[in-house]
Amino acid sequence: MSRASFACFVGIDLGSTTTKSVVIDDAGVIIGRGITNSRSNYDLACEIARSEAFVDAQMSRLRRALAADPVLEPHARVLSASLERSFRYRQHARQLANLRRACLLITAGAQPIEATLVEILDELDALAEKMFTGIAGAEKRSEFFRDIAGAQFQRAAEQRADPRRLPFEDIVAVFDKAILKVENEGDDLTFEGNARAAFTRSLSLYAKASPEVRSAAAAVLDDLLARPPVVRASVGTGYGRARLPFPKERIRSEILCHGLGAHAMFPMTRTVLDIGGQDTKAIQVDGEGIVTGFQMNDRCAAGCGRYLGYIADEMNLGVHELGPLAEQATRKVKITSTCTVFAGAELRDRLALGEKREDILAGLHRAIILRAMSILARSGGVHDEFTFTGGVASNPAAVRALRDLVGENYGPRVLNISPSSIYTGALGAALFALRDVNRLDEEQRRPEEAHA
Amino acid sequence: MKEDLTHDVPKEPSMLRQKELISGHYDALAAARDNGRKVAYTFVPGNLTELLLAFDVLPVLPEINALQSGMRKRSGAYITEAEKLGHSEDVCSYVKCDIGMMKTGLGPTGKAMPPPDLLLLSYTGCFTFMKWFELLKQEFPNAEIAMLHVPYQGGGVVTKEMRDYVVAQLRSEVVPKLEKITGKRLDEDRLKELLERSARAEEDLVWVLESAKHHPSPIDGYFGGVFYIGPIFTAFRGTEEGCDYYRILREEVQGRIDRREGPITPVGPLDNQKYRIVVEGPPNWTSFREFWEMFAAEGAVCVASTYTKVGGLYDQGFRHDPAHPMETLSEYCLGCYTNLNLPTRTGLIAKYVKEYEADGFIVHSVKSCNSFSAGQLLILREIEKRTGVPGGFIESDLVDPRYFSPANVKNRLESYLQMIEQRRHGGGAVMEASP
Amino acid sequence: MKSTLEIAAECERISLDTHLTTVRAWQERTGGRAIGHLPIYAPREVIQAAGMLPVGILGGGDQIEIIRGDAYFQSYICQIPRSVVEMGLTARLDCLSGMLFPAICDVIRNLSGVWQLLFPEKYVRYIDVPQNVQWEVGGRFYLHELHELGRGLAEVSGTAPTDESLRAAIVEHNLARRLIRELYDLRARSPERVPTSEAYVLVRAGYQLPAAEHAALLRAYLDAARETKRTELDQARVILVGTFCEQPPLGLLKTLERAGCYIVDDDLILGARFLTADVDEQGDPWEALARAYLEHSAHTSSRYVPEEQKGRYLVERCKQRGAEGVIFCAPSFCDPALLEQPMLESALDRAGIQHTAFKYSESSAQFQAIHEQAGTFSDSIRLWSLDA
């Protein structure tokens, strides 16, 4: 194991709904990824995404280090899992403490609301303890604090609400205000800040922790903390990139980052389709992942992820439920307009006419993909291989419609979809950071060839 | 009160001069009634300034009024007014802006706008013009209206019959109506004098436009170009002041060439030009400066544009010919950019890309103008094929501020320029467009 | 004798077929070529005189999905150019040897350029119909245009139009046009006998048939319609304005009728009825065609009519047809229809004629809102009419 600090490169994609961060090493390999929901404080969202990525990176290093140590190897799997859970629990507990503080500031002694709130928060604390024990707990890390705590809070509030004494809306209103405060003020959620405490807790829970194991584990952690990753360069991209505290040379359009990221994930990519929440992009790239052409649909929400959000709301479903439901369609329903403004009305009209939900949804998915097909055609067509990214890429009905339409109009194409496609932009940004540094190093090695 | 329309944009001497000319013209218009001068409303494409001036008639160009209102940030309100009166959100924002402005009785500079004695419907390169003047006729029922149908170059050429048709209309429709409203006969000698001066000014204008072939370019041929074409496309072609202006401009530009300087932009002089760009499409007026800044801030200079040819395609050889007044006016109208067919336009832009050694070209597609916009997507792909140079695509509008989204525009522009930059560092060739 | 329903069904099959099966069948039978033309008005007689079949192209309507066509036009442009390009790129139009683009608006105008770039091997001609109506000026220009067109078409077919062949074509087209006028008159008199959804496909079928065959169909329908006994319903009598180029889907027309409106006049497929009187069958046929255009053309947005009070033509038609109201039915983004509308509305207001307006696209599939609106309009006319 190397004694030197290791160089890494960071890409931050500041999107409208989520902020992503990817950390890569100097070989371009991903070592950490982080994601958080974007919020009004862009700097903070950026910071949190970055720190999440580093937590992720450190965790993987830790896992490898534990497995590499002969003393720890037999315990490595269990220890790693336990450490992660403890770590996440600690992060979550800190957030809950912040939430409690914020809530109490709002209620300021008023009763019976404050007492009820305290009860609810106590319940959340207890739930947290349970959540992060057992293997299932470790999966929670991919959900946001706001969503987890929010759902739990709502349920607890429902149980305690009384329309006359203490309406549900009043209780929840406190949460809504408090969570904003919590999110926008941030907290130290870094690996370094919380590792030791989490570590101690893990080891104390671990029955087979002999003194030998304890000291070996402590040594591994010390070594890790002593050699933090050194960021050589960062590149920012995404919707909010102008707000990033990076110099101009370190900011790249998301078109370029997306193209390069897709190329990194699938090196034979020539055409990329990204259907995001706000816009749809069709990007053509060459063999190096460099963009040769693109088209965007950014004025009109039709055919974007947001549209599906509206439909989901109208039908009282989760966005992730739309695709599977659409897959059950038996009839062809032709939807000609994907105008978001009329989405609700169109849907209600059709339901009133007796059309089945799944048939309408299938028609809607096809209509959305038809719009994407236009953008693709304008950008220069669909060439082999074709990579599909963005939230809508995880929608089976959308993917099916895309496969069909591409096949019908362009012939057979390899269609690539990665479950990590949401990180495409951030990955591309990180790779640009790496390329920039390599080019600078190259120029420094040959000063006589560098341009003024 | 003279409102300083260009107070946001740094000043070159020629810019100040053209500002004076234009505001002087608005003053003359405000005083027209009192001075007994007749007023004709007409359009930039196919404008017959020399003919009007030969009759001492003052031209008003509603398109210019609309873009001036846009630059002064008044167009939004005017458009809303017109939509309240029943005009559709789908139609040209110039027309709506004009309708809204008419209701105030004032022109874009805040001075009174005289009503027309003649609506000279120069039906050149744009269908909307017909409806525009029909609407104005409703507002000004006492005005004379003359229709000059300038045939479209559908086949890519100007035929004798097309020329004859326009000449016949000039003689049978336009000149008689001008004689009617002024009580004068056409002074052919005067007309020839004006045409001769036009040709002189056109020489200088073409020289200025082609100066962009230099490295660095001493002008911005799109944003800057808008100011250069002002006098010649409006009331000053054929006048001494017009000739004077172009002489001053030419000297100024020569100076910059000698000193290897770039044009003055909203972010200062652009001497370090990273990207040479050809632009197709009219500019946005409501965020004109902001749009220009986006280019200049990235070191992008526009070396040629098609918009600067809407009032005449002088850089392809046309000059007004005083020896054949009616024929030359006819030829002039037929050659305006928006009267060219798509294959010709495509060829012209591709030629500009090559001759001006451009790194890229951008299609600025405006919602209002179907004449420019319909088919631009195909033009884009065709030019990429012919030149091997990548094209960028930006969408906004002429004067409806609701359709200019700075974030979207900037994103597309930056992405495009970054793409060019990346390719310089070793990317691939332009992709073959697939049907 | 076939019933009106049978004839209408056949016409629907012919006219809404985007694969132009009928045209292909004609070509098989005769070995002849075909030339397409866009709205509004094209001198179809000249095409016929050159030995070819004139085929009217009105877009793909709600029959085709636009996949490639969207790559050519931005979202703020109407649908018809997209579907026409789509048809062109999916081999539906390969039975046509050329395409004519009459002057209407900038979109169709530029579409002619798109066609030249996409199909360089086909004959393409932009027809600049004259906006000057003086015979010595606009007439002379247009006459030359017609001759040029004839020469160009001759190169495609190998058959030059002669005065005889042109005159013969004029006679046939005059007949078809007369029968269409009869159809419209009958509908205005007894709208219950001639539902607009039937009249529509009947007229539109003529865009894929030789004039003589079309005339026969029209004759058969008229005879059958006169025999038909249908109850006249208490519906509002309206004129439909704005449908001269991109066509509304059949479902929209049916919706209007179901909502309580009898359409007693319209500008649907206006090109087929553009000449409102017979073309002179005597004398120089080229001049006759040119004169007919200058002197007997319908009034529509894309034509400049000098010195006329805007809207007078529409108001007169309302009186002639006994219409109680006007429905402005414009395609989204249609400059000619939408820019004209406020002027026509003012004219109707002055004449005390009620009106309502909405937009559509050729591919609209949902008519609930239109049904509501048309129904309310119909009610307002019948129950609260100004001169009730």
Side-chain angles (χ1 to χ4, degrees), chain A residues 241 248 251-256 286 290-296 298-299 378 380 432, chain B residues 297-298 377 380-381 393 403 408 411-412 414-416 418-419 422-423 427-429 431 434:
Chain A
R241 66 182 178 274
K248 199 167 126 132
I251 300 194
R252 287 278 157 53
S253 96
E254 72 261 34
I255 303 275
L256 264 71
D286 66 11
I290 300 303
V291 176
T292 59
F294 69 91
Q295 279 283 340
M296 290 183 72
D298 50 14
R299 242 194 67 75
R378 288 183 194 180
F432 271 119
Chain B
E298 298 292 323
L377 287 166
L380 177 88
R381 291 194 288 276
F393 192 72
Y403 288 92
N408 293 353
N411 189 23
R412 291 194 191 190
E414 280 182 0
S415 302
Y416 173 68
Q418 283 180 17
M419 180 176 96
Q422 279 302 307
R423 285 155 57 87
M431 299 292 296
S434 178

CSV table of all heavy atoms in Angstrom, one decimal, chain A residues 241 248 251-256 286 290-296 298-299 378 380 432, chain B residues 297-298 377 380-381 393 403 408 411-412 414-416 418-419 422-423 427-429 431 434:
chain,number,residue,atom,x,y,z
A,241,ARG,N,-24.0,26.1,-12.7
A,241,ARG,CA,-22.5,26.2,-12.6
A,241,ARG,C,-22.0,27.6,-12.5
A,241,ARG,O,-20.9,27.8,-12.0
A,241,ARG,CB,-22.0,25.5,-13.9
A,241,ARG,CG,-22.3,26.2,-15.2
A,241,ARG,CD,-21.7,25.3,-16.3
A,241,ARG,NE,-21.9,25.9,-17.6
A,241,ARG,CZ,-23.0,25.6,-18.3
A,241,ARG,NH1,-23.9,24.8,-17.8
A,241,ARG,NH2,-23.2,26.2,-19.5
A,248,LYS,N,-13.2,30.6,-14.1
A,248,LYS,CA,-13.9,30.3,-15.4
A,248,LYS,C,-13.3,29.1,-16.1
A,248,LYS,O,-14.1,28.3,-16.7
A,248,LYS,CB,-13.7,31.5,-16.3
A,248,LYS,CG,-14.8,31.6,-17.4
A,248,LYS,CD,-14.8,32.9,-18.0
A,248,LYS,CE,-14.6,32.8,-19.5
A,248,LYS,NZ,-15.6,33.5,-20.3
A,251,ILE,N,-15.0,25.7,-15.4
A,251,ILE,CA,-16.4,25.5,-15.5
A,251,ILE,C,-16.7,25.0,-17.0
A,251,ILE,O,-16.1,25.6,-17.9
A,251,ILE,CB,-17.2,26.7,-15.2
A,251,ILE,CG1,-16.9,27.1,-13.7
A,251,ILE,CG2,-18.7,26.5,-15.4
A,251,ILE,CD1,-17.8,28.1,-13.2
A,252,ARG,N,-17.4,24.0,-17.1
A,252,ARG,CA,-17.7,23.4,-18.5
A,252,ARG,C,-19.2,23.3,-18.7
A,252,ARG,O,-19.9,22.9,-17.7
A,252,ARG,CB,-17.0,22.1,-18.6
A,252,ARG,CG,-15.6,22.1,-18.7
A,252,ARG,CD,-15.1,22.4,-20.2
A,252,ARG,NE,-13.8,22.9,-20.2
A,252,ARG,CZ,-12.7,22.4,-19.7
A,252,ARG,NH1,-12.8,21.3,-19.0
A,252,ARG,NH2,-11.5,22.9,-19.8
A,253,SER,N,-19.6,23.4,-19.9
A,253,SER,CA,-21.0,23.2,-20.2
A,253,SER,C,-21.4,21.8,-19.9
A,253,SER,O,-20.5,20.9,-20.1
A,253,SER,CB,-21.2,23.6,-21.7
A,253,SER,OG,-21.2,22.4,-22.4
A,254,GLU,N,-22.6,21.6,-19.5
A,254,GLU,CA,-23.0,20.2,-19.3
A,254,GLU,C,-23.1,19.4,-20.5
A,254,GLU,O,-23.1,18.1,-20.4
A,254,GLU,CB,-24.3,20.1,-18.5
A,254,GLU,CG,-25.5,20.5,-19.2
A,254,GLU,CD,-25.9,21.9,-19.0
A,254,GLU,OE1,-25.0,22.7,-18.8
A,254,GLU,OE2,-27.1,22.2,-19.0
A,255,ILE,N,-23.2,20.0,-21.6
A,255,ILE,CA,-23.2,19.3,-22.9
A,255,ILE,C,-21.9,18.5,-23.0
A,255,ILE,O,-21.9,17.3,-23.3
A,255,ILE,CB,-23.4,20.2,-24.1
A,255,ILE,CG1,-24.6,21.0,-24.0
A,255,ILE,CG2,-23.3,19.4,-25.4
A,255,ILE,CD1,-25.9,20.4,-24.5
A,256,LEU,N,-20.8,19.2,-22.9
A,256,LEU,CA,-19.5,18.6,-23.0
A,256,LEU,C,-19.3,17.6,-21.9
A,256,LEU,O,-18.7,16.5,-22.2
A,256,LEU,CB,-18.4,19.7,-22.9
A,256,LEU,CG,-17.9,20.2,-24.3
A,256,LEU,CD1,-19.0,21.0,-25.0
A,256,LEU,CD2,-16.6,21.0,-24.1
A,286,ASP,N,-17.4,12.1,-30.7
A,286,ASP,CA,-16.5,11.3,-31.6
A,286,ASP,C,-15.8,10.3,-30.7
A,286,ASP,O,-16.2,10.0,-29.6
A,286,ASP,CB,-15.5,12.3,-32.2
A,286,ASP,CG,-14.6,12.9,-31.2
A,286,ASP,OD1,-14.5,12.5,-30.0
A,286,ASP,OD2,-13.8,13.9,-31.6
A,290,ILE,N,-15.4,13.7,-27.5
A,290,ILE,CA,-15.6,15.2,-27.7
A,290,ILE,C,-16.8,15.4,-28.5
A,290,ILE,O,-17.1,14.7,-29.5
A,290,ILE,CB,-14.3,15.7,-28.5
A,290,ILE,CG1,-13.1,15.5,-27.6
A,290,ILE,CG2,-14.5,17.2,-28.7
A,290,ILE,CD1,-13.1,16.0,-26.2
A,291,VAL,N,-17.5,16.4,-28.1
A,291,VAL,CA,-18.8,16.7,-28.8
A,291,VAL,C,-18.6,17.2,-30.2
A,291,VAL,O,-17.8,18.1,-30.4
A,291,VAL,CB,-19.6,17.7,-27.9
A,291,VAL,CG1,-20.9,18.1,-28.6
A,291,VAL,CG2,-19.9,17.2,-26.6
A,292,THR,N,-19.4,16.7,-31.1
A,292,THR,CA,-19.3,17.2,-32.5
A,292,THR,C,-20.6,18.0,-32.9
A,292,THR,O,-20.6,18.7,-33.9
A,292,THR,CB,-19.0,16.1,-33.5
A,292,THR,OG1,-20.1,15.2,-33.4
A,292,THR,CG2,-17.7,15.4,-33.2
A,293,GLY,N,-21.6,17.8,-32.1
A,293,GLY,CA,-22.8,18.5,-32.4
A,293,GLY,C,-23.9,18.2,-31.3
A,293,GLY,O,-23.8,17.2,-30.6
A,294,PHE,N,-24.8,19.1,-31.1
A,294,PHE,CA,-25.8,18.9,-30.1
A,294,PHE,C,-27.1,19.8,-30.5
A,294,PHE,O,-27.0,20.7,-31.2
A,294,PHE,CB,-25.3,19.3,-28.7
A,294,PHE,CG,-25.1,20.7,-28.5
A,294,PHE,CD1,-26.0,21.6,-28.0
A,294,PHE,CD2,-23.8,21.3,-28.8
A,294,PHE,CE1,-25.8,22.9,-27.8
A,294,PHE,CE2,-23.5,22.6,-28.6
A,294,PHE,CZ,-24.5,23.4,-28.1
A,295,GLN,N,-28.2,19.3,-29.9
A,295,GLN,CA,-29.4,20.1,-29.9
A,295,GLN,C,-30.1,20.0,-28.6
A,295,GLN,O,-30.0,19.0,-27.9
A,295,GLN,CB,-30.4,19.6,-31.0
A,295,GLN,CG,-30.0,20.0,-32.4
A,295,GLN,CD,-30.5,21.5,-32.7
A,295,GLN,OE1,-31.3,22.0,-32.0
A,295,GLN,NE2,-29.9,22.1,-33.7
A,296,MET,N,-30.8,21.1,-28.2
A,296,MET,CA,-31.5,21.1,-26.9
A,296,MET,C,-32.9,21.5,-27.1
A,296,MET,O,-33.2,22.3,-27.9
A,296,MET,CB,-30.8,22.1,-26.0
A,296,MET,CG,-29.4,21.8,-25.5
A,296,MET,SD,-28.9,23.0,-24.4
A,296,MET,CE,-29.9,22.6,-23.0
A,298,ASP,N,-34.9,23.3,-24.4
A,298,ASP,CA,-34.8,23.8,-23.1
A,298,ASP,C,-35.9,24.9,-22.8
A,298,ASP,O,-36.0,25.3,-21.6
A,298,ASP,CB,-33.4,24.4,-22.7
A,298,ASP,CG,-32.9,25.3,-23.8
A,298,ASP,OD1,-33.8,25.8,-24.6
A,298,ASP,OD2,-31.7,25.6,-23.8
A,299,ARG,N,-36.6,25.2,-23.8
A,299,ARG,CA,-37.7,26.2,-23.5
A,299,ARG,C,-39.0,25.6,-23.0
A,299,ARG,O,-39.7,26.1,-22.2
A,299,ARG,CB,-38.0,27.0,-24.8
A,299,ARG,CG,-37.7,28.5,-24.6
A,299,ARG,CD,-38.3,29.3,-25.8
A,299,ARG,NE,-39.7,29.3,-25.7
A,299,ARG,CZ,-40.4,30.0,-24.9
A,299,ARG,NH1,-39.9,30.8,-24.0
A,299,ARG,NH2,-41.7,29.9,-24.9
A,378,ARG,N,-32.6,16.4,-35.2
A,378,ARG,CA,-32.0,17.7,-35.5
A,378,ARG,C,-30.6,17.7,-35.2
A,378,ARG,O,-29.8,18.5,-35.7
A,378,ARG,CB,-32.7,18.7,-34.6
A,378,ARG,CG,-34.1,19.1,-35.0
A,378,ARG,CD,-34.6,20.2,-34.1
A,378,ARG,NE,-36.1,20.3,-34.3
A,378,ARG,CZ,-36.8,21.1,-33.6
A,378,ARG,NH1,-36.3,21.9,-32.8
A,378,ARG,NH2,-38.1,21.2,-33.9
A,380,GLY,N,-28.5,15.4,-35.6
A,380,GLY,CA,-27.7,14.6,-36.6
A,380,GLY,C,-28.0,13.1,-36.6
A,380,GLY,O,-27.3,12.3,-37.2
A,432,PHE,N,-12.7,16.0,-17.3
A,432,PHE,CA,-12.1,17.2,-17.9
A,432,PHE,C,-11.1,17.8,-16.9
A,432,PHE,O,-10.1,18.3,-17.4
A,432,PHE,CB,-13.2,18.3,-18.1
A,432,PHE,CG,-13.8,18.1,-19.5
A,432,PHE,CD1,-15.2,17.9,-19.7
A,432,PHE,CD2,-13.1,18.3,-20.7
A,432,PHE,CE1,-15.8,17.7,-20.9
A,432,PHE,CE2,-13.6,18.2,-21.9
A,432,PHE,CZ,-15.0,17.9,-22.0
B,297,ALA,N,-17.6,38.2,-24.4
B,297,ALA,CA,-16.9,37.7,-23.2
B,297,ALA,C,-16.2,36.4,-23.4
B,297,ALA,O,-15.2,36.1,-22.7
B,297,ALA,CB,-18.0,37.5,-22.1
B,298,GLU,N,-16.6,35.7,-24.4
B,298,GLU,CA,-15.9,34.5,-24.8
B,298,GLU,C,-14.8,34.7,-25.9
B,298,GLU,O,-14.2,33.8,-26.4
B,298,GLU,CB,-16.9,33.4,-25.3
B,298,GLU,CG,-18.0,33.0,-24.3
B,298,GLU,CD,-17.4,32.2,-23.2
B,298,GLU,OE1,-16.5,31.4,-23.4
B,298,GLU,OE2,-17.8,32.4,-22.0
B,377,LEU,N,-33.2,24.9,-39.8
B,377,LEU,CA,-32.6,23.6,-39.3
B,377,LEU,C,-32.0,22.9,-40.4
B,377,LEU,O,-30.9,22.3,-40.3
B,377,LEU,CB,-33.7,22.8,-38.6
B,377,LEU,CG,-34.1,23.3,-37.2
B,377,LEU,CD1,-35.3,22.6,-36.7
B,377,LEU,CD2,-33.0,23.1,-36.2
B,380,LEU,N,-28.8,24.7,-41.5
B,380,LEU,CA,-27.7,24.4,-40.5
B,380,LEU,C,-27.0,23.1,-40.9
B,380,LEU,O,-25.8,23.1,-41.1
B,380,LEU,CB,-28.3,24.2,-39.1
B,380,LEU,CG,-27.4,23.8,-38.0
B,380,LEU,CD1,-26.8,25.0,-37.4
B,380,LEU,CD2,-28.2,23.0,-36.9
B,381,ARG,N,-27.8,22.1,-41.2
B,381,ARG,CA,-27.1,20.8,-41.5
B,381,ARG,C,-26.4,20.8,-42.8
B,381,ARG,O,-25.4,20.3,-43.0
B,381,ARG,CB,-28.2,19.7,-41.4
B,381,ARG,CG,-28.7,19.4,-40.1
B,381,ARG,CD,-29.5,18.1,-40.0
B,381,ARG,NE,-30.8,18.1,-40.6
B,381,ARG,CZ,-31.9,18.6,-40.1
B,381,ARG,NH1,-31.8,19.1,-38.8
B,381,ARG,NH2,-33.0,18.6,-40.7
B,393,PHE,N,-27.0,26.4,-32.6
B,393,PHE,CA,-28.4,26.8,-32.8
B,393,PHE,C,-29.0,27.4,-31.6
B,393,PHE,O,-29.0,26.8,-30.5
B,393,PHE,CB,-29.2,25.5,-33.2
B,393,PHE,CG,-30.6,25.8,-33.7
B,393,PHE,CD1,-30.8,26.3,-34.9
B,393,PHE,CD2,-31.7,25.5,-32.9
B,393,PHE,CE1,-32.1,26.5,-35.4
B,393,PHE,CE2,-33.0,25.7,-33.3
B,393,PHE,CZ,-33.2,26.3,-34.6
B,403,TYR,N,-39.5,35.7,-24.7
B,403,TYR,CA,-38.9,34.6,-25.4
B,403,TYR,C,-37.3,34.7,-25.4
B,403,TYR,O,-36.7,33.9,-26.1
B,403,TYR,CB,-39.4,34.6,-26.9
B,403,TYR,CG,-40.8,34.1,-26.9
B,403,TYR,CD1,-41.9,34.9,-26.9
B,403,TYR,CD2,-41.1,32.7,-27.0
B,403,TYR,CE1,-43.2,34.5,-26.9
B,403,TYR,CE2,-42.4,32.2,-27.0
B,403,TYR,CZ,-43.4,33.1,-27.0
B,403,TYR,OH,-44.7,32.7,-27.0
B,408,ASN,N,-30.7,30.1,-20.9
B,408,ASN,CA,-30.7,29.1,-22.0
B,408,ASN,C,-29.8,29.5,-23.2
B,408,ASN,O,-29.1,28.7,-23.7
B,408,ASN,CB,-32.2,28.9,-22.6
B,408,ASN,CG,-33.1,28.3,-21.6
B,408,ASN,OD1,-32.6,27.9,-20.5
B,408,ASN,ND2,-34.3,28.2,-21.9
B,411,ASN,N,-26.2,29.2,-22.2
B,411,ASN,CA,-25.8,27.8,-22.1
B,411,ASN,C,-25.5,27.2,-23.5
B,411,ASN,O,-24.5,26.6,-23.7
B,411,ASN,CB,-27.0,27.0,-21.5
B,411,ASN,CG,-26.6,25.6,-21.1
B,411,ASN,OD1,-25.4,25.2,-21.0
B,411,ASN,ND2,-27.6,24.7,-21.0
B,412,ARG,N,-26.4,27.5,-24.4
B,412,ARG,CA,-26.2,27.0,-25.8
B,412,ARG,C,-24.9,27.6,-26.4
B,412,ARG,O,-24.2,26.9,-27.1
B,412,ARG,CB,-27.4,27.3,-26.6
B,412,ARG,CG,-28.6,26.5,-26.2
B,412,ARG,CD,-29.7,26.6,-27.3
B,412,ARG,NE,-30.9,26.1,-26.9
B,412,ARG,CZ,-32.0,25.9,-27.7
B,412,ARG,NH1,-31.8,26.1,-29.0
B,412,ARG,NH2,-33.1,25.4,-27.2
B,414,GLU,N,-22.3,29.0,-24.9
B,414,GLU,CA,-21.1,28.5,-24.3
B,414,GLU,C,-20.7,27.1,-24.7
B,414,GLU,O,-19.6,26.8,-24.9
B,414,GLU,CB,-21.2,28.6,-22.8
B,414,GLU,CG,-21.0,30.0,-22.2
B,414,GLU,CD,-21.1,30.0,-20.7
B,414,GLU,OE1,-21.3,29.0,-20.1
B,414,GLU,OE2,-20.9,31.1,-20.1
B,415,SER,N,-21.8,26.3,-24.6
B,415,SER,CA,-21.5,24.9,-25.0
B,415,SER,C,-21.0,24.8,-26.4
B,415,SER,O,-20.1,24.0,-26.7
B,415,SER,CB,-22.9,24.1,-24.9
B,415,SER,OG,-23.4,24.2,-23.7
B,416,TYR,N,-21.5,25.6,-27.3
B,416,TYR,CA,-21.1,25.5,-28.7
B,416,TYR,C,-19.6,26.0,-28.8
B,416,TYR,O,-18.8,25.3,-29.4
B,416,TYR,CB,-22.0,26.4,-29.6
B,416,TYR,CG,-21.5,26.6,-31.0
B,416,TYR,CD1,-21.5,25.5,-31.8
B,416,TYR,CD2,-21.0,27.8,-31.4
B,416,TYR,CE1,-21.1,25.6,-33.1
B,416,TYR,CE2,-20.5,27.9,-32.7
B,416,TYR,CZ,-20.6,26.8,-33.6
B,416,TYR,OH,-20.1,27.0,-34.9
B,418,GLN,N,-17.4,26.1,-26.5
B,418,GLN,CA,-16.5,25.1,-25.8
B,418,GLN,C,-16.3,23.9,-26.7
B,418,GLN,O,-15.2,23.3,-26.7
B,418,GLN,CB,-17.1,24.7,-24.5
B,418,GLN,CG,-16.9,25.7,-23.4
B,418,GLN,CD,-17.5,25.3,-22.1
B,418,GLN,OE1,-17.8,24.1,-21.8
B,418,GLN,NE2,-17.7,26.2,-21.2
B,419,MET,N,-17.3,23.6,-27.4
B,419,MET,CA,-17.2,22.4,-28.3
B,419,MET,C,-16.1,22.7,-29.4
B,419,MET,O,-15.2,21.9,-29.7
B,419,MET,CB,-18.5,22.2,-29.0
B,419,MET,CG,-18.6,21.1,-30.0
B,419,MET,SD,-20.2,20.8,-30.6
B,419,MET,CE,-20.2,21.7,-32.1
B,422,GLN,N,-12.7,22.5,-27.8
B,422,GLN,CA,-12.3,21.1,-27.6
B,422,GLN,C,-11.8,20.5,-28.8
B,422,GLN,O,-10.8,19.8,-28.9
B,422,GLN,CB,-13.4,20.3,-27.0
B,422,GLN,CG,-13.7,20.4,-25.5
B,422,GLN,CD,-12.4,20.1,-24.7
B,422,GLN,OE1,-11.9,19.0,-24.9
B,422,GLN,NE2,-12.0,21.0,-23.8
B,423,ARG,N,-12.5,20.8,-29.9
B,423,ARG,CA,-12.1,20.2,-31.2
B,423,ARG,C,-10.8,20.7,-31.7
B,423,ARG,O,-10.0,19.9,-32.3
B,423,ARG,CB,-13.2,20.4,-32.3
B,423,ARG,CG,-14.4,19.6,-32.1
B,423,ARG,CD,-15.7,20.3,-32.7
B,423,ARG,NE,-15.5,20.5,-34.1
B,423,ARG,CZ,-15.7,19.7,-35.0
B,423,ARG,NH1,-16.2,18.5,-34.7
B,423,ARG,NH2,-15.6,20.0,-36.3
B,427,GLY,N,-10.2,16.9,-31.6
B,427,GLY,CA,-11.4,16.1,-31.7
B,427,GLY,C,-11.5,15.5,-33.0
B,427,GLY,O,-10.6,15.4,-33.8
B,428,GLY,N,-12.7,15.1,-33.4
B,428,GLY,CA,-12.9,14.4,-34.7
B,428,GLY,C,-13.5,15.3,-35.7
B,428,GLY,O,-13.5,16.5,-35.5
B,429,ALA,N,-13.9,14.8,-36.8
B,429,ALA,CA,-14.5,15.6,-37.9
B,429,ALA,C,-16.0,15.8,-37.6
B,429,ALA,O,-16.5,15.2,-36.7
B,429,ALA,CB,-14.3,14.8,-39.2
B,431,MET,N,-19.8,15.2,-37.9
B,431,MET,CA,-20.6,14.0,-38.2
B,431,MET,C,-21.4,14.2,-39.5
B,431,MET,O,-21.9,15.3,-39.7
B,431,MET,CB,-21.5,13.7,-37.1
B,431,MET,CG,-20.9,13.4,-35.7
B,431,MET,SD,-19.9,11.9,-35.7
B,431,MET,CE,-21.2,10.7,-36.0
B,434,SER,N,-27.6,12.6,-40.6
B,434,SER,CA,-28.3,11.4,-41.0
B,434,SER,C,-29.8,11.8,-41.2
B,434,SER,O,-30.3,12.6,-40.5
B,434,SER,CB,-28.2,10.4,-39.9
B,434,SER,OG,-28.9,9.3,-40.2
